[in-house]
Amino acid sequence: MARTGPIQNKVMLLVCIPLLIWIVAFELLPIAGMLVMSFQDDSGQGFSLGQYIRTFTSDIYLQAIWNSLKVALISSIVGIIIALVCGYAITRLSEVFRDRMLMVSNMITNFVGVPLAFAYMIMLGNNGAFTLLFQRLGLDTLAKFDLYTENGLLLLYIYYQIPLAILLVYPIFHGIREEWKEASALLGASAWRFWRHIGIPIMLPSILGTFSILIANALGAYATAYALTGSNFNLLSIRIAALVSGDIFPNFQLGSALAVILAIIMLLAMFLNEWMTRYSRRRGL
């Protein structure tokens, strides 16, 4: 590429100004306002740690944090395991079927929120199609499945985590060359030894990166959980929404404090992933 001169550089900076304004107006300023508001009392005046103290001394908010972490971890672990198996299977298909499977996965990633919850209500709700079918077939275990509980919420979270994980892990398998498999087979290594000592160590940093994205995706989810369970299941995102817009008397300061805690949890997950990625690369795991 040709080098750009000072005039071209100035033009490019001018072109970036709208983007910078958008970032400041809709990202940096709201974040700064949220941080300031989280350190205010209920009256909105003065510096106070009362909102954070209230959060970590209240059972309902501690339960919301624990439930959010549990749902995010379980759905991310199950989702990435299934995605790895499906991603590897897609690489073994022909190019036509591979493109179709990726197209379907891309479409499913956009099927979230209220439409996803409504679809599951139609299929597995109290009077859902599959629920009634299971009752007719005498499958009591499946017929008595309660969609509006933690298990039902986990089912929905896993459902929309899988296609996203497939799109993220599918390119990883292209980093595994067929020559490596052939060389290991000629040296007498089994398929398991190849994946244990060569394949998985090469893929591990990317897998950890995908895992952190899935955790952030699950922690920030709101519409699906609220449409399915309302406020019956205590999640951090639902608590924040209730404090900001759902209660008769909203508490923006406490909602901001919970939002800051949610952001810190996401950042800790990202930093932990970065540390594990560097550790795996140093150790050659």
Side-chain angles (χ1 to χ4, degrees):
M1 296 179 63
R3 296 182 179 178
T4 58
I7 297 179
Q8 289 86 348
N9 290 334
K10 291 179 181 179
V11 172
M12 296 303 295
L13 288 175
L14 289 175
V15 172
C16 292
I17 287 177
L19 175 62
L20 295 175
I21 294 175
W22 186 89
I23 292 174
V24 172
F26 294 98
E27 293 189 21
L28 298 182
L29 288 179
I31 291 174
M34 180 182 68
L35 286 171
V36 172
M37 195 174 295
S38 67
F39 288 102
Q40 294 176 345
D41 54 22
D42 292 341
S43 63
Q45 298 178 354
F47 177 83
S48 173
L49 294 175
Q51 308 301 341
Y52 292 97
I53 296 174
R54 181 177 176 182
T55 298
F56 291 108
T57 55
S58 174
D59 292 338
I60 187 172
Y61 298 125
L62 290 176
Q63 184 189 47
I65 295 173
W66 167 247
N67 287 342
S68 297
L69 287 173
K70 181 171 63 173
V71 170
L73 286 173
I74 294 175
S75 63
S76 299
I77 292 173
V78 176
I80 200 168
I81 291 174
I82 297 176
L84 286 171
V85 177
C86 294
Y88 178 75
I90 291 174
T91 61
R92 315 311 297 176
L93 299 175
S94 64
E95 185 176 355
V96 175
F97 283 102
R98 184 165 62 242
D99 293 341
R100 290 178 179 176
M101 291 298 298
L102 293 176
M103 180 184 66
V104 170
S105 298
N106 189 26
M107 292 174 58
I108 296 176
T109 55
N110 297 309
F111 186 63
V112 294
V114 177
L116 176 61
F118 183 66
Y120 267 81
M121 291 177 189
I122 294 175
M123 293 188 297
L124 295 173
N126 294 334
N127 293 307
F130 286 107
T131 302
L132 297 178
L133 177 62
F134 295 150
Q135 290 176 356
R136 291 289 184 91
L137 296 176
L139 302 175
D140 294 335
T141 302
L142 297 176
K144 293 180 180 179
F145 176 75
D146 192 353
L147 181 65
Y148 308 102
T149 59
E150 181 181 356
N151 292 331
L153 189 62
L154 275 172
L155 182 63
L156 264 71
Y157 272 56
I158 293 171
Y159 174 84
Y160 75 73
Q161 292 275 53
I162 291 174
L164 176 61
I166 289 176
L167 294 177
L168 294 174
V169 303
Y170 167 75
I172 302 174
F173 290 99
H174 289 290
I176 307 298
R177 299 181 181 178
E178 291 295 329
E179 294 85 352
W180 298 346
K181 296 180 181 179
E182 295 171 359
S184 64
L186 289 174
L187 294 173
S190 62
W192 164 248
R193 287 178 65 86
F194 168 79
W195 287 107
R196 169 65 180 85
H197 297 286
I198 300 175
I200 294 178
I202 293 174
M203 297 170 55
L204 187 58
S206 299
I207 293 174
L208 293 175
T210 301
F211 183 68
S212 65
I213 292 175
L214 295 181
I215 290 179
N217 185 46
L219 285 173
Y222 165 72
T224 302
Y226 186 77
L228 183 68
T229 64
S231 58
N232 295 327
F233 190 73
N234 195 13
L235 290 176
L236 195 53
S237 57
I238 292 178
R239 288 295 111 208
I240 294 171
L243 289 168
V244 172
S245 61
D247 289 349
I248 299 177
F249 301 103
N251 189 332
F252 298 107
Q253 291 77 20
L254 183 56
S256 297
L258 292 177
V260 171
I261 293 172
L262 179 60
I264 291 174
I265 293 173
M266 291 184 178
L267 290 175
L268 287 176
M270 294 175 61
F271 288 140
L272 180 61
N273 162 72
E274 182 67 19
W275 177 82
M276 291 177 65
T277 301
R278 292 181 180 180
Y279 178 80
S280 64
R281 285 173 177 169
R282 284 199 310 266
R283 303 286 294 183
L285 298 177

